[in-house]
Amino acid sequence: MKYNFNFFHYPVLLKEVIKALNINHKRSNGIYVDCTFGGGGHSLKILKSLSNKGKLIALEKDPLSIINSKKIKDSRFSIFNTSFVNLEKILLKNNIKYVDGILMDLGISLMQINDINRGFSFKLNGFLDMRINNTQGLSAKEWLVKAEEKNIFNVIKKYGEEKYAFNIAKNIILYRKIKPILTTFQLSKIIQESIKYKKCKGHLSTKTFQAIRIFINNELEELKIGLKIAFNKISKNGRLVIISFHSLEDKIVKKFMKSKLNFNIKKKKFSIKLFRKIKPNRFEIFSNSHSRSAIMRYIERIF
Ligand SMILES: C[S@@+](CC[C@H](N)C(=O)[O-])C[C@H]1O[C@@H](n2cnc3c(N)ncnc32)[C@H](O)[C@@H]1O
């Protein structure tokens, strides 16, 4: 099967994902789910690893990312424009009870980050939207117009773990009394002026931008729900593979996976096999610096 496809997003841990999903010759007839299609890099690799009888169901919350998927003309592939919290409904509609492997590659893609109209990046001066599905819900600029100082503080503190959340929230309120905060550069300037220290590992705006994005898209709540649903849909010997990009996500994934590790005395077996976490090697980080914070964790359902 040949595809005329442009990777605007470099799929992280590509080989490792296929190995973790365990799509070997015995399991290449199976049904797999890519919960976060993005630029389709992982999906394409999964399709290449499947036999003619295999199937790949992809989900993607962003209608713009769905456009890319239209280039895949393959009867084994189907995609749905929805959040992975709806995975069970989608499988039910397609008469699928259990699947052999599920991938969640969390966060947003480079295509989204580098699109000036999406407002995800403090490096590009665009309108502050930050919605993964930009046809639904409140954008970041709409939220920043109305939100109370305490609410802004809580979001930046909780989802960004930003030490200077108090100053940033206070300055947002002061600034917006003079002028509405509509663009990424306006917000980034406020953040930089609110932070006293200039020695910082990354950009001063990183944590606050991450926090607002997580809040606007309800990312951590959706992850908690998505993990539960995905786990219930994994068949015996099926694998659940999750790639996270920051400690808040990884903590949720780690806790969830550990919670599923139970010993059954009658069966004399653990309920799942828990594999060690995997990170990109230095060659991958060198060729794609965005991969540096990726952590992949995966489990296999034993019974
Ligand atoms: C890191 S990218 C995935 C990249 C993809 N694996 C690839 O190879 O190109 C994450 C993708 O997940 C999507 N996404 C984020 N939250 C989602 C959710 N709750 N349900 C479905 N898709 C989601 C984003 O829109 C983004 O396209």
Side-chain angles (χ1 to χ4, degrees), residues 74-185:
D74 187 323
S75 57
R76 301 170 302 165
F77 174 74
S78 39
I79 186 159
F80 301 88
N81 184 198
T82 187
S83 164
F84 51 61
V85 299
N86 298 315
L87 173 64
E88 192 172 1
K89 284 181 211 149
I90 297 292
L91 294 181
L92 205 70
K93 268 191 197 162
N94 287 275
N95 295 320
I96 297 169
K97 209 166 174 197
Y98 296 108
V99 300
D100 299 283
I102 298 181
L103 168 68
M104 285 184 189
D105 177 19
L106 302 170
I108 53 171
S109 68
L110 275 181
M111 296 174 305
Q112 291 162 323
I113 295 172
N114 293 332
D115 183 344
I116 195 165
N117 300 312
R118 308 299 297 267
F120 287 117
S121 171
F122 45 78
K123 291 182 186 156
L124 302 169
N125 195 16
F127 280 114
L128 267 171
D129 191 312
M130 290 203 191
R131 288 170 299 172
I132 289 177
N133 180 344
N134 61 357
T135 65
Q136 280 175 3
L138 211 61
S139 66
K141 63 176 189 288
E142 287 165 331
W143 177 67
L144 282 172
V145 166
K146 290 188 196 145
E148 286 178 14
E149 185 176 335
K150 198 168 167 218
N151 188 206
I152 298 174
F153 164 77
N154 284 337
V155 166
I156 299 173
K157 188 82 193 160
K158 185 172 170 192
Y159 300 130
E161 297 176 311
E162 172 58 71
K163 203 166 134 194
Y164 289 86
F166 180 82
N167 288 1
I168 296 169
K170 200 169 86 187
N171 285 338
I172 284 174
I173 301 293
L174 287 175
Y175 188 100
R176 82 177 182 195
K177 281 184 184 155
I178 307 162
K179 212 173 166 190
I181 304 161
L182 302 176
T183 69
T184 49
F185 276 13

Side-chain angles (χ1 to χ4, degrees), residues 11-25:
V12 300
L13 295 164
L14 192 55
K15 268 195 224 147
E16 292 84 351
V17 163
I18 301 301
K19 206 170 159 210
L21 284 170
N22 201 17
I23 317 181
N24 53 42
H25 67 283

Side-chain angles (χ1 to χ4, degrees), residues 9 36-42 60-61 83-84 105 107 112 132 222:
H9 174 87
T36 49
F37 177 81
H42 288 115
E60 171 56 59
K61 199 172 167 181
S83 164
F84 51 61
D105 177 19
Q112 291 162 323
I132 289 177
E222 291 207 357

Side-chain angles (χ1 to χ4, degrees), residues 86 212 252 276:
N86 298 315
I212 297 177
I252 293 172
R276 67 176 177 83

